[in-house]
Amino acid sequence: MAPTWYEIRIRETLEPEWTEWFEGMDLRREEGGGTLLSGPVADQAALHGLLLRIRNLNLTLLSVNPAARQQQKEKEL
Amino acid sequence: MPAGAFYWLGSPRVEVEGRPVRLETRKTTALLAFLSVERRPHSREYLAALLWPEYDSVRAPANLRRVLSSLQQSLGDGWLSITRDTLAFEPAGSVSVDYSDFITRLRDLRKSFSDGEASLDDTGAVKLREALALYRGDFLQGFNLKDCPEFDRWQMIIRDEAQRLADRALEGLVEYHTAVCRWDDALEESRRRLSLDNLNEAAHRSLMFLLAKTGKRNAALKQYEICVRLLGDELGQDPEEETSVLAENIRRRRIEVPEAGRTAGGAARSPAEESLVEGSLLIRSTLPKVRSKLVDRSRLFTLLDEGSRRPVTLVSAPAGFGKTTLVADWAARRKIPVVWLSLEEGDDAPHRFLTALASALAVTASPAGTEALRMLKSAQVPPITMVTESLLKDLARKGAPSHLVLDDYHLITDTQTQELFSQVVRRLPRDFHLIIATRVDPAIALSQLRARDQLVEVRADDLRFSVSEASAFLRDIMDLGLEAGDIETLERRTEGWAAGLQMAALSLRGRSDCSAFINDFGGSHRYIMDYLMDEVLAGQPKEIHDFLLKTSILKRFNTDLCDRVTGLAGSRDILETLDRENLFLVSLDDKRAWYRYHHLFAELLRHRLRQKSSPEEISALHHLAGKRLEEAGDIEGAMDHYLTGALHGEALRVLTEQHDEMIARGGLVTMMAWAAAIPPEETRQDPKACGAFGTIYAFAGRGEEAGRYFARAEELLDKTEETEETRRLRGEISAIGAFMADVTGDNQKAVNLAKRADCLLPPDIHMGRALAAYVMSKECRRGGDYDGADQWCVKLIGHARAAGNIWPLAGAVYERAALRLVRGRLREAETLVKDFENEPREPGSEGPCAKITALRAEIELERGNPRQAREISRRAVEDVMPWGLPSDVAACLLTRLRCELSAGRLAAAEEDLERIDALVRTSQVYATMVPMIEAERVLLLLAGGKVEEAISWSQNFQCPDDWSPALKEIHTLSRCRVLIAAGRNSEALTLLAGLAEEAEKAGRYYRLLEILILLAAAGTGEEADKALKRALSIAQGEGFVRVFLLEGEAVLERLKTLTNDSGSLQPHLSEYALRIVSLSP
């Protein structure tokens, strides 16, 4: 199965070097605080793994959304 | 003035002026004893009636007068005060009555050794021993006046009182000498207590404990057997639970043996290594130590107190909110004896989870879950529901642990495990309290629990530090004097999160510009831990900085392990510094030897480590840690690091080197998990590793996998040049292959492989040669060549001894003894078993020796001692479980089944049969066991009155053609039993025709007995009597009893008739028949 693109929003601001911690997801600071994690997620198990990492660091999860960005990116390309 | 001494404790004795005095009659002795003990005057009338109750009021006083004058003559003057109406003991000179001295001394000393306050000191102990020296034996030992019931009663009261006091005094001494580790004294005193009363169960217990404590484990277990037998024979009782629990602990080696008492065996370890091993095993279930200085959280304590009145308390909050600290602090301050289990990633499977749970419960003062643990440790785990049943049953027991804390429950994510846990929660016994600390709500029916008011929750909002708590924390714990405004900012920015506050406080250490820093921090949106970790690490000297990163790979650590991983020598100082500075170090024991980092802190450290180091560097750290743990003998800990660090080469090496010993120690399950974690492509390149893996699977009864690995090993060996080593490896593989083929009943293959092994193996590879000899002996036995089989066994014993391996040795002795049982040579079998059991053994050999224990049970059973047999068979099953070789497990279970059946405990027997059936289904058990299992199935059905089912068994069970005559015979006998039960005796007799001659010709005398007794059960008149007489004459010399009881009433009736009919039996046979009848249930 092809990986699905996910966007995960958290309330805290994370430095970009945390990208390795989140399996290579792209980390982008949001205006007004918070971080957007985005990238391909292999399957549901991998997604839960990511959420687990967020939980273990006591980060505040705001939203989890699939798909949209990948389509955009493809268009951009 | 004469001096006299009166000794009544023990056999009575009197001395005057140092010379023995002879008292004329027994009544004289009685009178003197009575008066000297009672001391006050008694009327002549009373004394006369006391000593001559059968005489009238004239003759009795006359007798008293006569005795009195005899007494005065013997003693001389000056002892008695005599009036017209009364008599009294009133010595004019100095006198000692040992009984009175004894009582007085003990009453004076009593305060020092009873009333629960053990305040006996050395002087007290000496005095007690002096007093006890007076107690030579029971009061008036060997003396009685049978015709004087009143006197008899008096003597009994005095005797019992003296005995009770002596027992209490000895108990006090035992306790004292145990406390000061004077084991020999304590042992002697315990034995003396038992000589006072051999039914004193507490005394049995203390002797068992002391024997175990001084390293005499076998003697301790023997003592238990003695205790069981005495209680059973004398009182018809089973031992108290406390006693069986103690025996259990001794069996499981939970009685710690002090250095001096430890018996030889096993490599010596340095104290540091000892603690390394111990640490990893015990620490998980130790209540985390809390700092003495903590913020007062009484508002949360109130919540937990509430929870203690309900079944479940849930402490649910993200990492770093202080869940563990809160619960540990509460339990410590409220003095609640909680069982603590910190779950780990490895526990996330039903089997592992239950193992962790049962282990934690089993190391408590009142162990629960020990049976569950045994089930779990065996290679073929019974259905998981049986394990949970056993666990719940244990918890419901009186005195079982009542509070269980499961910390880090969020690590359990596996659906099956969650489902299992939720079932356990639903069925928790009343008055049991479960406290779950977790980062995620567990998948149990929380809403239901809430609705029934069975749940108290402590959640993140409750755990958040309020401003005043934050202020107390920063001021009192972290020694920071901050402005109120700064504290408020910190509290707001961290939202009362304990880890955040602590991290902030650490960053503020040694800063002069606290307010400015707090302002910056307060204005930032960065993730707190990330922001602060940099600050904290930057504030540390490089040495500590590196130390933190490198040691973050360790689950738990002491200075020794840290030294090795960091390559420094100063870990002790660093750990002390970290501890002092509150750097997220959690102390795990009283001695401050073992630590771990706070979980969240460790994760952040590992994150930093991965950023700064390459995977190779991290792997190198795992290598160092693994090596150190391996050196210390913590193979499991070492393997953990090897596997995490992807050091598969090391992991394979450990498995290859250790598999023989691990198999012997019962580590099959663990090894299979490790084997599965190593990528097969790595294993498949190494013939030795393939050989090791094949062996592991072979012993676990997984023949298919084993065969694959062996084939691969051979394939690799084919490609390499032949050397001595390759020949040897091939030989070993053939030997194990032969053994496997034998188990599965592939006899031809077994013999071929055994012969091949014999050619290939050099003479000094004893283990392989032993296996080959074993297979050859089985082949002889199949062919009915019992002597040939025995000779192979003798060879096998030689190899096994040379190899120093207990397993084939036990196997050979088992075969030899079992052969003798079939041949009706009970005494020889017994001698073999006893000789084997009397040999000194290395610790840890119980598993392989379990089936010998089972044989001892069989022998007791045949002799008609089912109670003792049952106790021994239970021990055999307990011992065999962790060892786990399926055929051995089945053999021990089969023995226990027989014992339970003989004791009339059908439900227990049925349970064992189910377990045996499950074993046969899932793994390879000797094909030759099948007829024996079926025989017991039939006996069990018939004992339960299920004749219809037995008939349908008889119709459906097909006896395979390739069974040897000996096996077919067993099957035929079972069919006969069914026919007799169905009242079809003539058909049974037809089946039996000619069998007796065959069995006799082949030398199977035990079967001959069975056949003869069945003939007696099915037959009538003289024919039947003749068969029975013959059976009696064969059985009598060897002492077989059970075989007569198997066929029920018909045989018993016939035996009774034979004994009643004088002259029909020779006297010794008649006596024997009566004995059998008396032993019938």
Side-chain angles (χ1 to χ4, degrees):
Chain A
M1 210 178 84
T4 314
W5 199 273
Y6 269 94
E7 289 184 345
I8 301 171
R9 268 196 182 73
I10 54 174
R11 202 183 65 187
E12 290 77 8
T13 313
L14 280 179
E15 298 296 312
E17 76 228 29
W18 283 85
T19 174
E20 176 251 9
W21 182 268
F22 292 105
E23 308 290 339
M25 299 247 326
D26 184 41
L27 262 64
R28 195 171 302 184
R29 279 198 203 188
E30 302 235 282
E31 277 175 40
T35 311
L36 180 74
L37 286 73
S38 58
V41 176
D43 53 18
Q44 285 295 299
L47 177 63
H48 281 284
L50 280 174
L51 298 179
L52 205 67
R53 280 159 192 273
I54 290 171
R55 181 196 81 192
N56 283 347
L57 292 174
N58 188 27
L59 298 168
T60 316
L61 186 64
L62 296 177
S63 70
V64 181
N65 293 308
R69 175 61 66 97
Q70 190 185 19
Q71 286 153 12
Q72 265 187 26
K73 272 208 160 176
E74 276 165 6
K75 275 178 205 160
E76 281 166 22
L77 287 171
Chain B
M1 291 292 141
F6 299 79
Y7 301 106
W8 304 133
L9 295 170
S11 57
R13 189 154 60 85
V14 175
E15 282 173 14
V16 173
E17 304 290 4
R19 279 190 306 274
V21 170
R22 191 164 165 271
L23 298 169
E24 285 300 325
T25 61
R26 287 161 14 93
K27 298 256 161 129
T28 322
T29 308
L31 180 66
L32 183 57
F34 184 81
L35 292 174
S36 67
V37 166
E38 291 290 315
R39 283 294 174 106
R40 61 201 166 81
H42 282 85
S43 71
R44 284 177 180 253
E45 205 182 338
Y46 173 79
L47 293 169
L50 179 72
L51 296 174
W52 292 273
E54 75 281 21
Y55 289 177
D56 61 25
S57 57
V58 180
R59 283 180 66 197
N63 274 315
L64 180 61
R65 275 197 299 280
R66 218 170 12 256
V67 160
L68 195 56
S69 98
S70 145
L71 187 57
Q72 277 189 301
Q73 228 163 33
S74 303
L75 288 177
D77 286 338
W79 297 103
L80 300 171
S81 145
I82 303 169
T83 69
R84 245 182 88 85
D85 300 320
T86 64
L87 295 178
F89 185 74
E90 265 185 35
S94 74
V95 67
S96 78
V97 177
D98 62 352
Y99 169 78
S100 315
D101 281 0
F102 177 67
I103 299 277
T104 320
R105 287 198 196 196
L106 284 190
R107 287 201 175 128
D108 286 349
L109 286 166
R110 197 179 202 155
K111 278 176 234 84
S112 60
F113 67 86
S114 55
D115 306 333
E117 300 287 324
S119 56
L120 200 62
D121 54 14
D122 244 348
T123 344
V126 170
K127 284 188 183 160
L128 262 188
R129 292 178 90 161
E130 282 169 8
L132 274 165
L134 294 171
Y135 195 90
R136 293 177 299 124
D138 284 345
F139 180 69
L140 298 182
Q141 194 167 310
F143 180 93
N144 65 64
L145 292 181
K146 278 214 179 95
D147 45 354
C148 305
E150 190 61 17
F151 179 84
D152 206 38
R153 211 171 61 84
W154 173 81
Q155 183 186 341
M156 198 185 79
I157 292 169
I158 300 283
R159 186 193 64 209
D160 287 356
E161 170 69 5
Q163 201 183 71
R164 197 178 60 80
L165 281 169
D167 181 64
R168 292 292 298 277
L170 282 166
E171 188 184 6
L173 279 175
V174 171
E175 259 171 40
Y176 173 68
H177 285 139
T178 305
V180 298
C181 303
R182 277 166 56 185
W183 310 113
D184 290 342
D185 288 335
L187 266 170
E188 189 198 317
E189 285 142 5
S190 287
R191 292 210 169 93
R192 203 168 157 202
R193 273 186 87 190
L194 275 178
S195 72
L196 292 180
D197 174 10
N198 65 6
L199 294 177
N200 182 340
E201 205 174 333
H204 278 287
R205 271 200 297 274
S206 84
L207 183 54
M208 281 161 63
F209 174 79
L210 287 162
L211 285 168
K213 199 74 189 167
T214 46
K216 302 178 195 86
R217 179 170 165 281
N218 282 333
L221 292 173
K222 280 256 159 65
Q223 189 62 38
Y224 177 60
E225 280 170 23
I226 293 172
C227 168
V228 170
R229 201 187 59 232
L230 282 169
L231 292 174
D233 291 353
E234 303 286 325
L235 309 172
Q237 281 174 5
D238 286 331
E240 286 164 18
E241 189 159 325
E242 200 180 337
T243 317
S244 32
V245 167
L246 175 64
E248 174 68 40
N249 285 340
I250 295 172
R251 239 167 250 157
R252 297 282 140 235
R253 299 179 187 290
R254 287 214 200 88
I255 308 289
E256 191 192 330
V257 180
E259 269 321 312
R262 206 188 294 267
T263 46
R269 288 197 176 113
S270 72
E273 288 177 333
E274 196 74 57
S275 68
L276 208 56
V277 174
E278 203 178 289
S280 61
L281 295 174
L282 284 178
I283 278 169
R284 276 211 302 153
S285 48
T286 308
L287 181 67
K289 291 287 163 287
V290 287
R291 296 170 172 280
S292 48
K293 266 168 65 180
L294 280 175
V295 176
D296 173 26
R297 312 212 81 185
S298 39
R299 64 184 174 92
L300 296 177
F301 278 21
T302 318
L303 272 176
L304 291 174
D305 290 343
E306 279 294 308
S308 218
R309 287 188 276 277
R310 292 174 178 74
V312 183
T313 303
L314 178 66
V315 184
S316 183
F321 265 96
K323 300 180 289 292
T324 307
T325 310
L326 172 69
V327 179
D329 188 29
W330 170 76
R333 275 173 217 262
R334 291 282 196 260
K335 297 198 169 46
I336 294 171
V338 295
V339 177
W340 189 282
L341 175 62
S342 301
L343 291 161
E344 293 184 347
E345 280 92 349
D347 300 327
D348 196 14
H351 168 263
R352 302 293 300 265
F353 177 74
L354 282 175
T355 307
L357 199 59
S359 310
L361 290 165
V363 293
T364 56
S366 161
T370 43
E371 188 194 39
L373 207 53
R374 271 198 306 278
M375 295 180 184
L376 289 161
K377 279 198 180 151
S378 65
Q380 274 74 34
V381 182
I384 214 82
T385 48
M386 268 171 72
V387 183
T388 48
E389 283 307 315
S390 154
L391 196 63
L392 286 166
K393 205 174 72 200
D394 270 11
L395 287 180
R397 220 184 46 211
K398 213 169 143 246
S402 61
H403 284 76
L404 171 68
V405 180
L406 289 179
D407 199 10
D408 294 328
Y409 181 80
H410 54 267
L411 293 174
I412 303 305
T413 57
D414 170 66
T415 341
Q416 277 183 316
T417 315
Q418 290 185 353
E419 174 55 28
L420 174 85
F421 179 65
S422 128
Q423 278 165 17
V424 171
V425 171
R426 265 200 296 274
R427 303 188 38 210
L428 282 178
R430 269 154 61 97
D431 302 327
F432 189 85
H433 308 284
L434 181 67
I435 300 161
I436 308 168
T438 174
R439 294 181 190 176
V440 209
D441 282 0
I444 54 179
L446 287 177
S447 54
Q448 210 173 23
L449 288 170
R450 277 189 201 110
R452 292 186 189 150
D453 192 27
Q454 290 177 335
L455 175 74
V456 163
E457 289 172 90
V458 181
R459 307 196 66 93
D461 273 345
D462 304 308
L463 284 159
R464 281 184 211 288
F465 278 62
S466 66
V467 176
S468 65
E469 282 171 333
S471 144
F473 171 73
L474 294 167
R475 190 186 59 232
D476 300 339
I477 316 290
M478 302 304 286
D479 284 329
L480 286 171
L482 296 179
E483 301 288 324
D486 288 341
I487 293 175
E488 270 172 47
T489 311
L490 277 181
E491 197 271 340
R492 197 179 57 244
R493 176 67 171 89
T494 59
E495 298 178 76
W497 184 35
L501 267 174
Q502 187 175 344
M503 203 68 155
L506 287 170
S507 326
L508 285 164
R509 281 258 170 88
R511 264 179 206 278
S512 48
D513 54 344
C514 286
S515 290
F517 177 80
I518 290 170
N519 267 334
D520 280 353
F521 172 50
S524 136
H525 290 287
R526 246 180 92 184
Y527 173 45
I528 297 176
M529 285 312 240
D530 197 23
Y531 186 104
L532 296 173
M533 189 59 133
D534 287 343
E535 295 294 329
V536 171
L537 286 179
Q540 304 299 331
K542 182 171 184 320
E543 193 191 28
I544 291 191
H545 183 263
D546 283 357
F547 181 93
L548 287 170
L549 292 189
K550 285 179 176 166
T551 52
S552 70
I553 61 156
L554 301 169
K555 268 189 191 152
R556 45 182 101 82
F557 41 85
N558 61 3
T559 46
D560 185 46
L561 201 49
C562 290
D563 277 352
R564 185 63 73 93
V565 171
T566 57
L568 300 170
S571 299
R572 179 172 306 279
D573 292 343
I574 297 184
L575 283 173
E576 273 168 19
T577 310
L578 297 181
D579 198 17
R580 202 170 48 242
E581 307 232 312
N582 281 322
L583 260 161
F584 293 95
L585 199 62
V586 182
S587 166
L588 295 172
D589 56 14
D590 294 324
K591 300 170 216 150
R592 301 216 160 241
W594 284 90
Y595 294 94
R596 68 168 170 83
Y597 291 118
H598 187 279
H599 296 314
L600 180 60
F601 189 68
E603 285 208 47
L604 290 161
L605 285 177
R606 282 197 288 274
H607 174 52
R608 290 281 187 294
L609 177 69
R610 275 198 292 272
Q611 282 178 333
K612 302 210 163 154
S613 321
S614 66
E616 290 74 26
E617 284 168 319
I618 295 173
S619 183
L621 291 174
H622 281 294
H623 200 195
L624 289 168
K627 280 283 179 198
R628 180 67 196 99
L629 290 168
E630 197 184 335
E631 279 165 28
D634 181 0
I635 303 295
E636 306 212 359
M639 282 298 275
D640 223 16
H641 280 290
Y642 291 153
L643 293 173
T644 314
L647 297 153
H648 297 132
E650 291 289 356
L652 273 178
R653 178 187 53 75
V654 171
L655 268 177
T656 315
E657 281 172 11
Q658 299 281 339
H659 72 276
D660 272 340
E661 199 187 323
M662 288 270 305
I663 290 173
R665 282 194 293 133
L668 271 175
V669 180
T670 318
M671 276 197 298
M672 290 205 292
W674 290 340
I678 299 174
E681 56 277 12
E682 303 216 11
T683 314
R684 291 176 51 80
Q685 300 315 316
D686 178 356
K688 269 179 155 172
C690 287
F693 275 45
T695 310
I696 293 167
Y697 284 113
F699 276 87
R702 306 237 311 246
E704 212 173 297
E705 284 103 324
R708 267 209 299 278
Y709 275 109
F710 284 150
R712 174 68 188 164
E714 298 260 11
E715 195 184 317
L716 290 171
L717 290 174
D718 287 343
K719 288 185 203 150
T720 53
E721 208 172 307
E722 186 176 281
T723 63
E724 217 165 277
E725 207 189 324
T726 60
R727 278 176 67 83
R728 184 188 134 169
L729 191 54
R730 274 185 210 272
E732 284 176 333
I733 290 172
S734 306
I736 295 171
F739 170 66
M740 274 168 34
D742 177 62
V743 170
T744 49
D746 192 343
N747 304 332
Q748 198 46 53
K749 186 174 166 196
V751 174
N752 290 343
L753 281 171
K755 286 183 178 155
R756 179 167 182 245
D758 211 42
C759 295
L760 285 166
L761 286 170
D764 61 332
I765 299 303
H766 295 288
M767 187 56 201
R769 292 197 158 261
L771 283 173
Y774 186 64
V775 170
M776 294 311 290
S777 114
K778 296 292 283 272
E779 170 70 5
C780 285
R781 182 174 173 176
R782 265 192 301 277
D785 177 7
Y786 293 150
D787 289 325
D790 198 53
Q791 279 157 19
W792 274 111
C793 284
V794 174
K795 277 187 207 167
L796 162 53
I797 287 174
H799 288 301
R801 287 203 194 279
N805 193 323
I806 185 69
W807 171 69
L809 180 62
V813 173
Y814 181 85
E815 272 297 305
R816 295 190 75 197
L819 275 172
R820 279 162 178 75
L821 273 184
V822 171
R823 299 169 86 177
R825 300 181 184 173
L826 193 56
R827 288 176 199 282
E828 281 183 32
E830 190 170 21
T831 309
L832 280 171
V833 166
K834 289 231 161 111
D835 285 351
F836 178 82
E837 290 200 319
N838 285 334
E839 286 176 26
R841 289 272 170 268
E842 297 259 321
S845 48
E846 295 81 12
C849 294
K851 56 183 177 179
I852 303 281
T853 311
L855 264 186
R856 190 151 58 85
E858 296 270 359
I859 293 167
E860 288 294 336
L861 194 59
E862 291 302 342
R863 292 204 187 288
N865 306 324
R867 192 185 283 271
Q868 208 175 342
R870 187 157 57 105
E871 198 53 50
I872 301 172
S873 72
R874 285 179 179 176
R875 188 172 148 202
V877 172
E878 283 166 14
D879 284 347
V880 83
M881 281 304 176
W883 153 247
L885 187 70
S887 286
D888 281 11
V889 175
C892 291
L893 282 171
L894 195 61
T895 297
R896 188 171 70 177
L897 187 169
R898 288 203 183 100
C899 295
E900 299 285 7
L901 189 56
S902 285
R905 299 167 69 111
L906 300 191
E910 205 147 327
E911 224 171 82
D912 281 338
L913 185 62
E914 275 170 28
R915 288 171 74 174
I916 296 171
D917 283 342
L919 259 181
V920 174
R921 271 198 306 277
T922 56
S923 56
Q924 288 157 353
V925 168
Y926 281 120
T928 48
M929 278 190 73
V930 173
M932 295 189 249
I933 297 168
E934 293 308 312
E936 296 306 321
R937 187 187 316 284
V938 169
L939 284 171
L940 186 57
L941 285 174
L942 296 180
K946 297 173 180 163
V947 181
E948 287 302 314
E949 279 180 51
I951 292 173
S952 88
W953 170 88
S954 206
Q955 286 160 351
N956 293 328
F957 189 86
Q958 294 295 325
C959 181
D961 288 337
D962 62 349
W963 276 12
S964 69
L967 297 183
K968 284 183 178 155
E969 184 180 54
I970 298 175
H971 179 68
T972 312
L973 297 187
S974 293
R975 281 173 59 208
C976 286
R977 290 196 175 106
V978 177
L979 288 171
I980 295 172
R984 289 150 63 181
N985 289 15
S986 59
E987 289 172 60
L989 287 172
T990 317
L991 266 182
L992 287 166
L995 279 188
E997 289 72 21
E998 256 176 62
E1000 190 175 4
K1001 207 171 82 192
R1004 293 188 295 266
Y1005 279 88
Y1006 186 79
R1007 299 280 171 252
L1008 177 60
L1009 273 179
E1010 281 189 276
I1011 295 163
L1012 291 171
I1013 294 164
L1014 278 168
L1015 282 170
T1020 49
E1022 245 174 64
E1023 282 296 304
D1025 283 347
K1026 205 175 113 195
L1028 196 53
K1029 281 185 203 166
R1030 180 142 187 248
L1032 277 173
S1033 67
I1034 295 172
Q1036 188 259 343
E1038 296 286 336
F1040 285 104
V1041 170
R1042 174 185 179 254
V1043 69
F1044 289 92
L1045 306 177
L1046 275 180
E1047 316 305 341
E1049 280 306 309
V1051 171
L1052 282 174
E1053 283 310 315
R1054 200 168 284 283
L1055 277 175
K1056 283 183 205 160
T1057 326
L1058 280 180
T1059 54
N1060 288 337
D1061 181 9
S1062 64
S1064 84
L1065 280 178
Q1066 290 167 287
H1068 69 283
L1069 290 185
S1070 178
E1071 198 181 302
Y1072 192 62
L1074 279 174
R1075 202 174 105 74
I1076 294 170
V1077 172
S1078 77
L1079 285 169
S1080 67

